[in-house]
Amino acid sequence: MKRMRTYLPSRKVIAVLAAALLATGTAACGNSDTGDNAGKGDDGKITLGFSQVGAESGWRTANTTSIKEAASAAGIELKFDDAQQKQENQIKAIRNFIQQKVDVIAFSPVVESGWDTVLKEAKDAKIPVILTDRAVDSADKSLYKTFLGSDFVKEGRLAGEWLVEQKKAASGPVNIVELQGTTGSAPANDRKKGFAEAIAANPNLKIIASQSGDFTRAGGKQVMEQFLKANPKIDVLFAHNDDMGLGALEAITAAGKVPGKDITIITVDAVKDGMQALADGKFNFIAECSPLLGPQLMELAKKVHNGEEVPARIETEETTFTQEQAKEALPNRKY
Ligand code: AHR
């Protein structure tokens, strides 16, 4: 009978294998579809490096799909990096894109501050940057070409104005709890601001507790449980996105209350699950925030790559939904 020989690779072979692994490129950070050595796209295609926030919500998943589909439809080579909700991962990804000499960089900044250094590096490397979905608070506007996304202050204001109208006959205090998005992010800061400004019209409307649920269902559920324990009378929940509102539904039901009736629920986004909750009477109102930014982003990438002028700010068109409107819109909702 033949004996099998165990093969032990020599040092030389190990070194060659390690070099080959490095050459194929491992992700700089987070989950990445990019390779470190991948430079410009083949066949003269525009190469777009895109750093995504993460996969924290239904909105984000729809946004990622929109960007990937639009890139492939536009013939743009996309280098996609998922930063898993960490700014340091986004900074690493942007540096990686600079090293790879991509043609254009786009990103959705997880938080507003702390971007100047890396944006300056991109500018020095002559790579145009597009902000999508979320803004940065950099004073130097020359660090990026344009910002494509929603007006988050307006979304908060629309949510607040609807509540003011609903509660105009209230003779006593209306207790509101607020589930904020990711601390330091543009949508959390701006939606909070817009909502507070709008409800100031009626002094009966009071925010009695406000905390971050990080835009996730788990976060929404956990923080709502705390709110319910600490506050015997909650009349309204304003959640900065559908996912946190959906998580909160579980906490509200477990506390023996009826969502949409005992507690009025207002959210932002209008993704399918949120619209279903609204149509089912569990939510009461949603201010829309569209994630379908892909096609516009690809157009902008082509323009900035060609050196064409683009507007400094491009605002997404959005609407609001009541329960009746959600029932009508739901069958055609794409995300
Ligand atoms: O930046 C957009 C926000 O981020 C969405 O409203 C929220 O669902 C997402 O996580």
Side-chain angles (χ1 to χ4, degrees):
M1 200 170 87
K2 267 192 181 175
R3 288 183 63 197
M4 295 286 283
R5 277 186 67 191
T6 320
Y7 174 70
L8 288 175
S10 69
R11 275 192 197 170
K12 218 174 178 182
V13 173
I14 290 172
V16 170
L17 281 174
L21 260 180
L22 276 176
T24 51
T26 48
C29 52
N31 288 337
S32 174
D33 298 341
T34 71
D36 283 349
N37 288 346
K40 301 255 175 193
D42 301 334
D43 358 311
K45 269 186 176 179
I46 295 176
T47 309
L48 171 68
F50 182 80
S51 166
Q52 180 60 289
V53 170
E56 74 282 5
S57 62
W59 188 100
R60 190 63 56 197
T61 308
N63 181 245
T64 292
T65 304
S66 170
I67 286 162
K68 287 185 172 173
E69 285 179 357
S72 123
I76 287 180
E77 188 183 330
L78 181 70
K79 296 181 178 300
F80 182 91
D81 188 276
D82 174 346
Q84 301 177 354
Q85 297 250 73
K86 291 198 175 75
Q87 182 175 34
E88 75 231 46
N89 286 348
Q90 287 202 293
I91 292 174
K92 277 186 209 161
I94 294 169
R95 292 206 164 117
N96 195 24
F97 294 146
I98 296 171
Q99 243 185 356
Q100 293 176 43
K101 298 186 170 43
V102 298
D103 297 310
V104 181
I105 292 174
F107 76 115
S108 175
V110 60
V111 291
E112 281 191 282
S113 27
W115 299 102
D116 287 26
T117 307
V118 75
L119 287 177
K120 176 100 185 14
E121 289 168 25
K123 191 178 173 188
D124 290 346
K126 301 200 175 0
I127 300 177
V129 173
I130 300 173
L131 302 180
T132 137
D133 164 34
R134 299 184 182 181
V136 298
D137 65 3
S138 304
D140 182 356
K141 307 291 177 216
S142 77
L143 293 177
Y144 55 91
K145 295 287 177 195
T146 180
F147 165 37
L148 163 69
S150 310
D151 181 343
F152 298 134
V153 178
K154 186 169 153 196
E155 291 166 355
R157 195 183 307 124
L158 289 170
E161 283 169 358
W162 179 84
L163 186 63
V164 168
E165 178 59 27
Q166 295 301 305
K167 301 289 179 187
K168 63 181 177 210
S171 51
V174 174
N175 290 345
I176 305 167
V177 293
E178 181 181 34
L179 280 168
Q180 294 179 41
T182 302
T183 306
S185 69
N189 294 342
D190 293 355
R191 287 172 188 163
K192 181 168 185 47
K193 181 172 183 277
F195 185 76
E197 279 171 8
I199 63 166
N202 181 348
N204 278 327
L205 303 182
K206 287 199 170 63
I207 298 179
I208 56 164
S210 181
Q211 208 179 299
S212 173
D214 211 12
F215 280 131
T216 65
R217 282 192 198 203
K221 181 176 179 219
Q222 196 201 329
V223 177
M224 191 68 203
E225 281 166 357
Q226 292 167 23
F227 284 164
L228 286 159
K229 269 187 204 141
N231 303 283
K233 181 182 178 291
I234 297 174
D235 303 303
V236 178
L237 162 65
F238 173 45
H240 288 189
N241 78 343
D242 286 341
D243 280 81
M244 291 190 295
L246 292 162
L249 286 184
E250 293 180 41
I252 293 169
T253 313
K257 294 185 190 285
V258 183
K261 295 212 161 56
D262 295 336
I263 300 180
T264 299
I265 301 178
I266 307 167
T267 66
V268 184
D269 276 356
V271 294
K272 240 187 191 156
D273 290 354
M275 291 287 272
Q276 187 64 60
L278 186 59
D280 292 345
K282 294 175 181 165
F283 284 0
N284 301 81
F285 187 73
I286 302 181
E288 187 186 36
C289 177
S290 174
L292 306 179
L293 304 176
Q296 273 173 296
L297 174 60
M298 299 312 143
E299 278 308 302
L300 287 168
K302 283 181 184 170
K303 285 187 175 161
V304 298
H305 177 61
N306 293 338
E308 289 175 42
E309 279 298 311
V310 292
R313 173 78 171 101
I314 299 161
E315 211 180 293
T316 318
E317 277 180 34
E318 281 150 359
T319 183
T320 59
F321 293 97
T322 60
Q323 291 174 338
E324 283 315 307
Q325 289 165 330
K327 279 181 205 158
E328 265 177 52
L330 203 49
N332 302 318
R333 203 73 184 157
K334 289 204 181 65
Y335 55 91

